[in-house]
Amino acid sequence: MTRHPTDHPQFYLTAPAPCPYLEGKQERKVFTHLVGQGAPALNEVLTQGGFRRSQNIAYRPACERCQACVSVRVRVDDFKWTKSFRRVWKSGADIVGARLPASPSAEQYDLFRDYLEARHENGGMTEMSVLDYAMMVEDTHVETLVVEYRRRGPDSYITGAGEGPLLAVALSDQLTDGLSMVYSFYDPDYTKTALGTYMILDHIERARRMRLPYVYLGYWVAGSAKNGLQGPLQAPGAPWSERLDGRRRGRLHQVTLVRALPQDRCLRILSKTDVNISCVNRPVFVL
């Protein structure tokens, strides 16, 4: 795992770059490293404030003129099984998800490549090597798990695992208040079940069995076709969903931001989160 010795987390801003979700838009992100013994606690409070994790980085959009990205979580007890969700769940009755340690495999990487080439051909992740994939899974200082989905076999009721080819994979974090889906991918040629939606439904049921109140799903991007089949589950207007954009009051965590912007704009960015981040005058660090 990557190690960055630090006692006080510092936040940074990326340089503007083309938005991968909305054509003609520029994106910026505010981010920090999740390292050391304090990483799990920091990841918890940042996730609750709308941040997402990628390897040992926690980030959230910090775009000045756009607020299309909304971080959403599902309230497990409020979730309602619509007809379409029941249909997806029933169609996946022969699928078993096995919880495993956060460890990569060649089979996972092959499926990952197939998924990217079919669904995100022009995305930046298509250039990821097998080493990059291994880092995505293993480079974590928080409690991370992998769920592998396969067809149910004759021994699945005993082993808890499926058999045959790998159908889908979910990389998720276990928090004290829920499960956070970091990244998921699936066989693009498997048509019997909407696997993307199925994995979210499976995580909701897992959280319910574990008595965890939330499932964190990532960003809903208004106006983007890339929300995919999971859209009805992630949409912030759903009665079981909750947007994490600073509109709620939660536990505060004092951290420091190395600013790359004027103070007034820095404060506008940070007003979108309920995490208490300070803007300070320090040398600019922009990626």
Side-chain angles (χ1 to χ4, degrees):
M1 293 185 293
T2 304
R3 298 185 183 276
H4 297 270
T6 179
D7 296 324
H8 303 287
Q10 296 181 336
F11 283 70
Y12 307 90
L13 284 166
T14 62
C19 177
Y21 296 101
L22 299 175
E23 186 176 355
K25 297 284 188 177
Q26 294 283 302
E27 71 163 0
R28 297 191 80 173
K29 293 184 175 73
V30 59
F31 71 95
T32 189
H33 294 286
L34 295 169
V35 293
Q37 294 182 346
L42 181 60
N43 185 50
E44 290 254 350
V45 71
L46 291 179
T47 300
Q48 292 163 5
F51 281 70
R52 301 296 297 162
R53 184 182 72 82
S54 177
Q55 294 179 226
N56 64 354
I57 296 292
Y59 69 92
R60 68 170 294 158
C63 308
E64 184 178 18
R65 297 182 178 86
C66 181
Q67 299 184 34
C69 296
V70 179
S71 187
V72 177
R73 69 183 181 185
V74 171
R75 294 189 300 270
V76 173
D77 288 344
D78 292 336
F79 178 72
K80 305 298 182 184
W81 285 87
T82 65
K83 290 183 179 179
S84 62
F85 294 155
R86 291 186 185 278
R87 203 159 41 239
V88 171
W89 189 248
K90 184 177 180 180
S91 68
D94 62 341
I95 297 176
V96 176
R99 175 172 174 162
L100 303 171
S103 179
S105 69
E107 188 180 22
Q108 290 174 16
Y109 180 69
D110 289 342
L111 182 62
F112 176 70
R113 295 296 312 173
D114 291 343
Y115 171 79
L116 291 179
E117 290 172 5
R119 297 301 177 105
H120 301 283
E121 184 178 3
N122 298 319
M125 297 181 74
T126 56
E127 299 178 0
M128 288 177 62
S129 66
V130 64
L131 179 60
D132 294 329
Y133 175 77
M135 292 288 287
M136 182 177 80
V137 176
E138 291 182 321
D139 195 5
T140 174
H141 288 246
V142 303
E143 186 174 354
T144 303
L145 58 106
V146 167
V147 183
E148 290 190 346
Y149 296 87
R150 304 177 191 268
R151 298 287 294 274
R152 188 180 303 277
D155 297 327
S156 293
Y157 288 104
I158 299 174
T159 65
E163 297 181 2
L166 186 62
L167 298 178
V169 176
L171 178 67
S172 303
D173 292 340
Q174 181 165 336
L175 311 176
T176 58
D177 69 344
L179 297 174
S180 176
M181 299 185 70
V182 176
Y183 194 78
S184 60
F185 53 94
Y186 52 86
D187 182 351
D189 296 324
Y190 190 82
T191 58
K192 182 180 177 182
T193 303
L195 289 170
T197 299
Y198 179 85
M199 284 189 282
I200 295 178
L201 294 172
D202 178 66
H203 274 66
I204 292 173
E205 287 306 297
R206 287 174 184 271
R208 193 189 309 277
R209 292 194 298 269
M210 298 167 70
R211 298 185 178 180
L212 297 174
Y214 302 111
V215 173
Y216 294 83
L217 298 181
Y219 294 111
W220 166 268
V221 186
S224 174
K226 294 185 179 181
N227 286 312
L229 294 175
Q230 304 92 281
L233 272 166
Q234 288 180 293
W240 51 78
S241 70
E242 181 175 345
R243 55 189 296 159
L244 306 176
D245 59 357
R247 297 187 179 185
R248 62 184 188 87
R249 292 184 178 180
R251 182 163 51 112
L252 298 182
H253 189 84
Q254 183 66 39
V255 293
T256 302
L257 172 71
V258 177
R259 71 176 181 86
L261 295 172
Q263 186 85 357
D264 59 343
R265 183 178 169 194
C266 177
L267 292 173
R268 287 202 301 274
I269 289 172
L270 300 181
S271 68
K272 300 177 184 177
T273 176
D274 61 354
V275 180
N276 189 11
I277 304 176
S278 298
C279 295
V280 299
N281 290 306
R282 297 235 182 142
V284 171
F285 183 80
V286 180
L287 294 185

